[in-house]
Amino acid sequence: MEVWDVFDQDRNKTNKRHVRGAKLADNEYHIVVHVWIRNHKGEILITKRHELKAYPNLWECPGGSILAGESSLDGALREVQEEIGIKLLSSNGKIIKSERRDAYNDFYDVWLFDQSFELTETVLQEDEVSDIKWVTKLELENMYHANCIVPTLDYFKVLF
């Protein structure tokens, strides 16, 4: 059971907790992190979504909802470790975008980590991630135009 802290529309933490799967009220929000990782070659890491998830078999960056008591950074580090088995260094990361999305009842924080590793070092979370690869910005753009990238990640075009 995943439990989230609840925030108001100004990102102030309320005294409420929320269990994933239940509907949040219109004025309640949680925090979601997207984690982009760039290696020393300038390539960007993408992961392929499991076939039983929403947007099946599409590519994305690691990420998810932060848990109750976590900071955005803690959630970003945990999500990457859970999904691909890589321990990122907090000093290698920075928030590059943060926005409230009323349609999803969330604040989403986009993190960029500059950290290199070999794909052979990864351990994929079987029910989340079915594949992983490094791509160039051009490859990522081409994959997006070919409808191979989760459509809500279209903001990447202005980030890299």
Side-chain angles (χ1 to χ4, degrees):
M1 178 172 68
E2 198 170 290
V3 179
W4 305 331
D5 288 319
V6 175
F7 296 81
D8 67 18
Q9 66 184 10
D10 297 317
R11 201 171 170 150
N12 297 308
K13 190 185 290 189
T14 68
N15 291 323
K16 295 181 183 179
R17 297 275 170 101
H18 181 81
V19 175
R20 182 182 188 144
K23 183 163 173 34
L24 283 162
D26 286 343
N27 60 346
E28 294 179 334
Y29 299 84
H30 71 289
I31 297 175
V32 171
V33 293
H34 295 175
V35 184
W36 296 95
I37 304 168
R38 183 172 53 197
N39 67 17
H40 67 280
K41 298 178 192 175
E43 296 169 321
I44 301 157
L45 185 86
I46 55 174
T47 59
K48 191 175 191 180
R49 292 177 66 85
H50 188 275
E51 65 184 10
L52 298 179
K53 291 184 61 97
Y55 302 113
N57 297 313
L58 293 185
W59 294 87
E60 65 179 349
C61 62
S65 297
I66 71 167
L67 302 177
E70 281 185 325
S71 68
S72 177
L73 175 59
D74 291 339
L77 297 171
R78 178 188 49 77
E79 285 288 346
V80 169
Q81 180 129 23
E82 284 179 3
E83 291 184 15
I84 65 170
I86 294 295
K87 189 169 191 161
L88 294 175
L89 299 175
S90 59
S91 59
N92 289 344
K94 63 183 175 187
I95 284 187
I96 57 174
K97 182 178 178 62
S98 186
E99 183 175 294
R100 187 181 80 205
R101 300 187 300 182
D102 293 329
Y104 300 101
N105 287 84
D106 69 19
F107 289 94
Y108 82 95
D109 292 345
V110 179
W111 287 87
L112 175 62
F113 283 80
D114 284 304
Q115 188 165 326
S116 294
F117 51 86
E118 297 297 324
L119 294 181
T120 55
E121 298 174 55
T122 64
V123 178
L124 305 185
Q125 186 179 11
E126 288 182 20
D127 60 344
E128 292 277 336
V129 178
S130 62
D131 202 0
I132 188 170
K133 64 181 174 179
W134 293 105
V135 295
T136 65
K137 181 183 178 193
L138 180 59
E139 289 170 322
L140 186 61
E141 289 173 359
N142 289 338
M143 289 175 72
Y144 180 78
H145 293 299
N147 298 315
C148 296
I149 303 291
V150 172
T152 57
L153 300 180
D154 63 342
Y155 67 82
F156 80 85
K157 295 178 272 184
V158 298
L159 298 180
F160 301 113

